[in-house]
Amino acid sequence: MKIIIKILVPGILKKCFLYLTLISALIGYVTEAESSSLAINLDPENISGRNPDYTASFKEGDLPVNITAPSAVIEDNEGMGINYLTITIKNPQPGDILTADTSGTNIIFQYNQNSLVLTGMNPGGMDSAEQYQKVLQTVRFNNPGTNPDTTMRIIEFTAFSGQNNDNTASNTAACFLTIISVNSPPVNTIPGSQMTPVNIVLIFSSNNGNRISVSDEEAEAGEIQVSLTIDRGSLILAGDSGSRITGNNTIAVVLTGAVEQVNSELDGLKYEPEPGWSGKVYLNIETSDLGYSGMPGPLTDNDIIEITVGVTTEPNQEPDAVFNEGETVILDAFDQTGEMKTYEWYQISGPGVFLSDKNIASPAFTAPIVSFQGAELIFELKSENNEGMKFTTRVIIKINDNGIIGFPEDVLTFRPAAQAEMGIKIIKGELISIKGINPDEIENTENRPENLIYGLINIQVKVLTPEDQGAVAEIYFSEPADNEYKWFGFHEDSGWSDYGENSVFSDDRRHVTLYLNDYMDNGIINNTSGLGKPSTGSGAGDSGGGCFIRISDLKNNLNPF
């Protein structure tokens, strides 16, 4: 369509001609799009008010989010069929991922950089609009990293139909995706309980193996603030890192600066006891990120170090129990007198671990990452019985290196079966336990995968706050997973299920990110799942061999809390 109107007015003829030519081009574009036999509508019910486009939002740390309305449609008015459908992030940022659920269809997808391409498995990719529409309604966006770029993403959808490279394109519909950054708290790394003789200054440093440090992966060049307080005596900082210090050489010191500056200052922190005094004091450490990034504003981490002045312990004390990295440890309040009224567990030395419940007789934790020399963890239990008698007991747990190599240093390795090696890294939540389960113990074989090469693993993760709707874990494999393998879950009530909507494989398929939000009880997620090949028959698949625990043992041994 062309519109040419001549206006014989000197000085404006050329300008009017240009404006009307532009308007005619726009009218021609709309007419061409409306006359196409293909049409995409991401929001037919106009839920977002942008029909045929759609608006959505993604919150850092949440599950992947749908970027179409549930009723999104593809119209093929002439019944030509569709060769392929492209979904493209026009302004991609680091960590962006698009996925789709193609189960129950003949559609396959390929994601390359910023574009997801859906193609039918028939010759030329041809399939019906209904098949493509089913997959269209499952397209999701995810960015599993921390501190994602908050630029609004524009994600365009276009369908194509035709033969001999004479493709007919649909209109281009777009999802306008808002990215919400969530502030993560800073993390203090502290040593266990400390001891120093009377009148001797205690120095916290790397050289002494008792350094205090802080981290905040979102702070970048922003500042954090560390407040240090002690019951009695004084705290002394060198003051040579470029950070700002108030209250130096008193019982309350405040340190403000970049993370690197603060850690440099803390490496060498001195505690000077009062002259001639002996006893116990408590060093309180509170770190604030000053609300550097995202909602809900400033977050803090608080820790306490017990310092004993003028008291010694028994040398060369043997551990009470020995475990390997990745194994589940259950502490036991043994040798208590009378019926107990309260329990309170503290970890006073060794690599930090998360106890399932500090106020029960037998809390559980997962043996942490240690060096090849191993490490000792010392716990103290303060308890009181119904008669008012109070007790203090110490438990020493030795953790040995499990000998597994070939995984990233920050990944906790374990053996779900005798010959299998895997790793786990908790992104959101706190790991309580991880165990291998023998799939052959499961009588329900309906929809069971053909081959569970690592068996099944049971993961128990503590959700830290009521606002959290789930946890996030990365599972690492000793070898890349084949493309045909997927992640499957099992539960006694619902049976076997494809965990595809809650799992995202890395590009090299060496690990999978799991979004755990199922079967939560008292803030603890109990997930049983594994890597398997989709079943092509009705029978049970191969479990992959190995040595596992029984499900009955799992119930008895992994749920003391």
Side-chain angles (χ1 to χ4, degrees):
M1 178 188 300
K2 289 188 177 180
I3 301 173
I4 301 176
I5 301 175
K6 293 184 178 180
I7 305 174
L8 300 178
V9 179
I12 66 171
L13 174 59
K14 184 177 180 180
K15 184 180 293 185
C16 288
F17 180 82
L18 291 174
Y19 286 166
L20 291 171
T21 301
L22 175 60
I23 293 171
S24 71
L26 292 174
I27 294 173
Y29 173 80
V30 174
T31 303
E32 180 182 353
E34 290 177 348
S35 66
S36 172
S37 64
L38 294 179
I40 296 178
N41 193 329
L42 302 181
D43 189 7
E45 299 174 358
N46 206 22
I47 297 172
S48 64
R50 306 256 335 221
N51 171 297
D53 298 329
Y54 186 63
T55 60
S57 63
F58 172 77
K59 183 179 178 182
E60 177 188 352
D62 278 359
L63 297 175
V65 63
N66 282 81
I67 53 176
T68 73
S71 57
V73 297
I74 304 178
E75 296 178 353
D76 181 8
N77 297 324
E78 297 181 7
M80 299 172 59
I82 298 175
N83 292 81
Y84 60 98
L85 172 66
T86 63
I87 303 102
T88 303
I89 305 175
K90 302 301 292 183
N91 54 341
Q93 304 299 325
D96 287 355
I97 299 173
L98 294 177
T99 60
D101 183 5
T102 60
S103 59
T105 72
N106 289 323
I107 307 296
I108 59 175
F109 74 83
Q110 181 177 6
Y111 183 71
N112 184 17
Q113 294 180 340
N114 62 324
S115 186
L116 182 71
V117 180
L118 306 178
T119 310
M121 290 191 290
N122 297 321
M126 184 66 69
D127 214 321
S128 67
E130 289 78 8
Q131 290 287 297
Y132 277 93
Q133 177 177 300
K134 183 177 180 181
V135 180
L136 171 69
Q137 295 170 352
T138 70
V139 177
R140 293 177 173 84
F141 171 90
N142 188 30
N143 189 312
T146 57
N147 201 24
D149 191 302
T150 56
T151 301
M152 174 181 283
R153 309 296 196 271
I154 301 174
I155 307 171
E156 294 185 346
F157 297 70
T158 309
F160 297 87
S161 176
Q163 298 178 354
N164 300 322
N165 296 321
D166 185 19
N167 287 327
T168 297
S170 71
N171 64 308
T172 296
C175 173
F176 299 91
L177 184 67
T178 301
I179 308 298
I180 302 172
S181 178
V182 177
N183 190 17
S184 299
V187 177
N188 298 329
T189 301
I190 65 170
S193 296
Q194 300 292 300
M195 291 173 284
T196 186
V198 175
N199 296 330
I200 299 298
V201 173
L202 173 65
I203 302 176
F204 295 88
S205 68
S206 299
N207 291 336
N208 291 338
N210 61 348
R211 179 186 178 186
I212 298 170
S213 65
V214 299
S215 62
D216 187 344
E217 56 189 7
E218 297 172 338
E220 298 178 356
E223 292 188 335
I224 62 172
Q225 187 173 86
V226 179
S227 299
L228 306 167
T229 58
I230 196 82
D231 302 83
R232 56 196 303 167
S234 58
L235 299 169
I236 306 169
L237 294 170
D240 55 4
S241 68
S243 53
R244 303 187 302 279
I245 303 172
T246 60
N248 202 12
N249 201 20
T250 69
I251 62 172
V253 179
V254 178
L255 176 62
T256 305
V259 173
E260 183 178 349
Q261 293 175 323
V262 168
N263 282 329
S264 175
E265 197 67 55
L266 289 174
D267 193 0
L269 169 67
K270 297 178 181 179
Y271 166 63
E272 184 174 356
E274 294 179 352
W277 179 83
S278 65
K280 288 187 177 183
V281 292
Y282 297 89
L283 172 59
N284 292 270
I285 305 155
E286 179 181 289
T287 301
S288 169
D289 63 7
L290 302 177
Y292 178 76
S293 172
M295 56 183 297
L299 296 176
T300 62
D301 186 22
N302 297 271
D303 289 284
I304 298 175
I305 301 175
E306 181 184 86
I307 302 174
T308 301
V309 179
V311 180
T312 60
T313 59
E314 299 179 11
N316 302 322
Q317 186 173 350
E318 292 295 322
D320 296 289
V322 179
F323 293 85
N324 290 327
E325 292 172 300
E327 293 182 340
T328 300
V329 182
I330 300 179
L331 299 174
D332 186 16
F334 54 87
D335 294 336
Q336 300 291 309
T337 302
E339 185 175 347
M340 305 309 297
K341 180 173 64 175
T342 61
Y343 299 94
E344 195 167 12
W345 288 92
Y346 300 89
Q347 182 181 358
I348 60 176
S349 72
V353 298
F354 180 83
L355 296 180
S356 59
D357 191 334
K358 295 181 179 181
N359 300 113
I360 61 174
S362 300
F365 68 90
T366 300
I369 300 171
V370 297
S371 67
F372 69 91
Q373 298 101 331
E376 282 192 348
L377 282 61
I378 302 179
F379 298 88
E380 187 171 86
L381 170 64
K382 297 181 183 296
S383 56
E384 181 178 351
N385 65 16
N386 289 335
E387 285 72 41
M389 298 177 61
K390 296 182 179 181
F391 306 88
T392 298
T393 305
R394 285 198 174 186
V395 178
I396 301 176
I397 305 295
K398 177 67 182 297
I399 306 298
N400 289 329
D401 176 25
N402 59 23
I404 298 176
I405 60 176
F407 291 83
E409 291 184 358
D410 60 346
V411 170
L412 177 64
T413 55
F414 64 99
R415 292 184 174 88
Q419 304 301 320
E421 296 180 350
M422 301 183 78
I424 186 170
K425 181 179 179 181
I426 300 299
I427 306 300
K428 183 179 181 182
E430 291 287 354
L431 180 64
I432 294 175
S433 65
I434 183 164
K435 286 281 189 178
I437 297 178
N438 186 355
D440 294 336
E441 292 290 324
I442 299 175
E443 296 181 358
N444 183 350
T445 60
E446 183 177 358
N447 298 322
R448 172 177 165 171
E450 285 189 354
N451 184 21
L452 291 157
I453 56 178
Y454 295 100
L456 290 173
I457 57 174
N458 176 267
I459 309 171
Q460 294 193 6
V461 181
K462 178 74 172 181
V463 176
L464 298 182
T465 66
E467 292 77 17
D468 289 338
Q469 298 300 309
V472 181
E474 292 179 348
I475 304 297
Y476 288 76
F477 313 124
S478 54
E479 299 290 339
D482 290 342
N483 289 332
E484 59 188 352
Y485 278 75
K486 303 173 71 174
W487 198 261
F488 292 87
F490 177 79
H491 190 267
E492 290 183 343
D493 294 334
S494 57
W496 295 92
S497 62
D498 184 342
Y499 213 68
E501 292 188 3
N502 293 66
S503 59
V504 178
F505 283 83
S506 61
D507 291 340
D508 61 4
R509 295 187 69 83
R510 284 298 300 267
H511 76 268
V512 60
T513 302
L514 303 180
Y515 297 87
L516 309 172
N517 62 350
D518 46 357
Y519 310 112
M520 187 184 303
D521 184 22
N522 293 325
I524 296 176
I525 291 175
N526 193 331
N527 176 276
T528 300
S529 53
L531 180 70
K533 181 179 179 181
S535 175
T536 57
S538 59
D542 180 16
S543 66
C547 178
F548 306 89
I549 66 169
R550 295 176 179 270
I551 292 181
S552 57
D553 294 335
L554 181 73
K555 291 179 179 178
N556 294 332
N557 295 334
L558 292 190
N559 292 283
F561 30 86

